[in-house]
Amino acid sequence: MLIQAQLEHRIRSCIDELNALVTGQGCSLTDPEVVHKSMELDELILLAMRPLQPAGKVAV
């Protein structure tokens, strides 16, 4: 699993990239590149929300 600082950095980068696509390049929210980046951000946020599990334990 990514360490917390790396995860935070990836989330911030993803937000910055989304901002650049929408406000900088004028892409619409339905643009495939924006949708893909948004889904990537969603996955990173879900990963950050998961509690850390001890080795060998499975989250239920």
Side-chain angles (χ1 to χ4, degrees):
M1 179 177 223
L2 294 173
I3 62 171
Q4 193 65 26
Q6 288 176 321
L7 188 54
E8 289 175 18
H9 180 264
R10 288 185 58 193
I11 289 171
R12 172 52 51 200
S13 294
C14 202
I15 291 169
D16 291 344
E17 290 172 24
L18 270 170
N19 186 48
L21 286 170
V22 174
T23 60
Q25 297 179 22
C27 296
S28 71
L29 297 179
T30 57
D31 182 278
E33 194 172 355
V34 173
V35 172
H36 176 75
K37 189 56 65 177
S38 180
M39 289 172 57
E40 181 182 337
L41 177 59
D42 290 345
E43 290 174 10
L44 289 171
I45 291 170
L46 289 173
L47 184 60
M49 291 173 58
R50 286 189 192 142
L52 295 176
Q53 297 292 323
K57 299 279 183 171
V58 176
V60 179

